[in-house]
Amino acid sequence: MTGLRHYLQFKDFSREEYDYVFERAKWIKSKFKRYEPYHPLFDRTLVMIFEKASTRTRLSFEAGMQQLGGSAIYLNTRDSQLGRGEPVEDAGQVISRMSDLVMIRTFEQDIVERFAANSRVPVINGLTNEYHPCQILADIFTFIEHRGPIQGKTVAWIGDSNNMCNTWLQAAEVLDFHVHVSTPPGYEVEPERAGLYGTDHFRQFADPLEACKGAHLVTTDVWTSMGFEAENEARMKAFADWCVDAEMMSVAAPDAVFMHCLPAHRGEEVTAEVIDGPQSVVWDEAENRLHAQKALMEFLMLGRIED
Ligand code: CP
Ligand code: NVA
């Protein structure tokens, strides 16, 4: 790998690079499980910038960086000049002179793009209104662990065409699988906003049950994402029938798994029976944020490692 690389959207890496990163994640995870120290990022500093709340993303990046031998610094809008109107371009210049890697969780995708354009170090998208590539990285790693390669498989996305949905759609193009999307009317996928090359890898379904038929993975997310709270009341009404339940799981493939990026609202986008049931892999999915992102940070900082 030559030159500075960022991870701002799922399509920033090729299929072959994902094959490599998933192999590294598996290796790094197994070493971690054997309590074997691995410090390839000794003395390196990750800066994490949060303009929205987080549990998993903060924890997995901070713990992951420490476990790789480096350290992590947490900044948020409230306590830094970012919340007082400092231009994002200036923040990119300054923060990247004092660190080796930056992760940002913010609102519009344009903010991470502008930060990255002014950064001397790799920048990772830790969630924007449009995309959540780190989550899908962990989700696909989890699917591979449980069921093998995802190529040619079908993912059913039930609910909002949000940052998670857009990223699943990009992943389907890069890794060659299919997504069946079912959203309420008025909340359909916008291919341009999702950053898609075409429409070959997804189909939209009016009926969520139809979308789940034969799927190898059924997944959903909150009805109201961070930043869209003002729409909550309207969304609660519009999404009422887009709750993943046992009937939807029963028409999926017999060995289908259920995923949710979390946090979840039982009784809204998914029933307790499904998320706490035998097909759910949500805890492995959450844990794999740690392992997948360690492989991502290693790749962005050091390129390919020859074992
Ligand atoms: N799934 C996810 O990104 O969780 P957090 O919002 O807790 O970081
Ligand atoms: N779509 C959700 C994901 C949270 C991890 C949101 O953006 O709030």
Side-chain angles (χ1 to χ4, degrees):
M1 189 167 68
T2 54
L4 179 60
R5 295 285 298 271
H6 302 296
Y7 192 59
L8 307 183
Q9 309 188 31
F10 198 88
K11 66 183 180 186
D12 285 349
F13 288 0
S14 66
R15 190 192 309 188
E16 197 261 332
E17 286 171 332
Y18 279 111
D19 287 345
Y20 170 80
V21 171
F22 291 137
E23 271 306 309
R24 284 305 292 172
K26 185 177 164 189
W27 186 86
I28 287 170
K29 180 174 181 176
S30 71
K31 217 169 161 54
F32 179 71
K33 295 288 181 186
R34 294 195 304 271
Y35 299 97
E36 291 174 10
Y38 178 55
H39 295 152
L41 301 187
F42 173 73
D43 211 25
R44 307 288 178 107
T45 304
L46 165 70
V47 171
M48 307 181 295
I49 302 168
F50 283 92
E51 299 211 81
K52 292 175 177 171
S54 169
T55 297
R56 280 144 288 268
T57 302
R58 177 179 178 180
L59 184 58
S60 53
F61 271 106
E62 191 164 339
M65 192 60 181
Q66 284 175 15
Q67 290 161 16
L68 292 177
S71 57
I73 295 172
Y74 172 79
L75 292 180
N76 66 34
T77 312
R78 207 177 45 250
D79 308 335
S80 66
Q81 299 293 2
L82 292 160
R84 300 181 69 252
E86 180 163 16
V88 67
E89 289 80 4
D90 294 2
Q93 292 285 351
V94 173
I95 291 169
S96 72
R97 284 180 182 229
M98 301 189 196
S99 61
D100 301 288
L101 184 62
V102 177
M103 188 243 56
I104 311 178
R105 167 168 286 196
T106 186
F107 293 90
E108 289 78 27
Q109 180 70 12
D110 175 60
I111 298 172
V112 292
E113 304 275 354
R114 283 161 49 212
F115 189 104
N118 287 276
S119 175
R120 293 181 167 195
V121 303
V123 177
I124 297 171
N125 178 353
L127 180 146
T128 57
N129 290 349
E130 288 83 358
Y131 307 118
H132 196 2
C134 293
Q135 183 69 54
I136 305 302
L137 184 74
D139 291 6
I140 294 174
F141 178 61
T142 307
F143 184 86
I144 294 168
E145 275 190 337
H146 282 267
R147 296 286 181 265
I150 198 164
Q151 186 176 16
K153 297 285 197 295
T154 298
V155 174
W157 175 268
I158 308 302
D160 192 17
S161 62
N162 61 12
N163 41 15
M164 284 290 296
C165 176
N166 289 340
T167 311
W168 271 114
L169 294 170
Q170 282 199 3
E173 288 191 332
V174 176
L175 302 178
D176 191 24
F177 59 91
H178 310 282
V179 186
H180 287 179
V181 182
S182 181
T183 66
Y187 295 92
E188 291 88 356
V189 170
E190 296 171 49
E192 201 172 321
R193 182 173 160 84
L196 304 182
Y197 296 116
T199 53
D200 293 350
H201 288 80
F202 79 98
R203 277 178 66 190
Q204 304 213 59
F205 293 76
D207 180 353
L209 198 63
E210 286 297 315
C212 290
K213 279 190 181 157
H216 303 97
L217 192 175
V218 178
T219 186
T220 186
D221 187 13
V222 292
W223 291 341
T224 305
S225 287
M226 292 180 281
F228 297 83
E229 289 81 1
E231 300 174 15
N232 192 45
E233 208 179 313
R235 285 171 170 269
M236 292 291 277
K237 289 192 188 112
F239 283 79
D241 293 333
W242 276 262
C243 173
V244 176
D245 59 13
E247 189 186 5
M248 292 188 200
M249 293 307 295
S250 75
V251 299
D255 66 345
V257 291
F258 172 79
M259 289 192 193
H260 189 310
C261 64
L262 307 176
H265 298 80
R266 287 167 177 77
E268 293 184 16
E269 73 273 9
V270 60
T271 62
E273 186 184 9
V274 169
I275 196 169
D276 299 320
Q279 287 168 282
S280 175
V281 294
V282 296
W283 310 131
D284 288 345
E285 180 188 1
E287 178 190 325
N288 279 336
R289 292 290 302 277
L290 175 71
H291 311 301
Q293 289 162 194
K294 284 163 84 172
L296 172 67
M297 291 193 284
E298 182 196 69
F299 183 59
L300 287 172
M301 301 283 311
L302 304 178
R304 287 174 198 254
I305 309 289
E306 306 299 338
D307 285 334

